[in-house]
Amino acid sequence: MSGGAPGWESTLPLRIVEQASYLGAKTFLEVWNPDHGVAVTCSFEDMRDCMIAGALWLRGGMSVAKGEYVALLAGNSIAYLAISFGAMSIG
């Protein structure tokens, strides 16, 4: 993606957006359960959408602005990653 905001050229959120356009429904992440195997699968598109939703929630619902610190207290999950990437996309 060219023409984006300055500084976005090498960020993880940008790479997720770019890869979602190429890889779409292919697997981005699988959550493994030792007793049952793969418990949850998340595609590149799913992660992109969740990341954007997380960024919108942080900006709109929590009033997080660029340059502010964000602390997350959460278990290791897809939602945790999505909010983390959303925070990174704010800057």
Side-chain angles (χ1 to χ4, degrees), residues 16-61:
I16 291 169
V17 170
E18 287 177 339
Q19 291 304 307
S21 68
Y22 295 118
L23 301 173
K26 291 192 180 202
T27 301
F28 173 80
L29 176 72
E30 292 179 332
V31 177
W32 180 262
N33 180 318
D35 297 326
H36 306 290
V38 175
V40 179
T41 300
C42 179
S43 71
F44 281 86
E45 290 172 333
D46 292 339
M47 183 53 67
R48 177 203 57 211
D49 295 346
C50 289
M51 175 188 72
I52 292 169
L56 291 172
W57 175 73
L58 287 167
R59 287 197 78 143

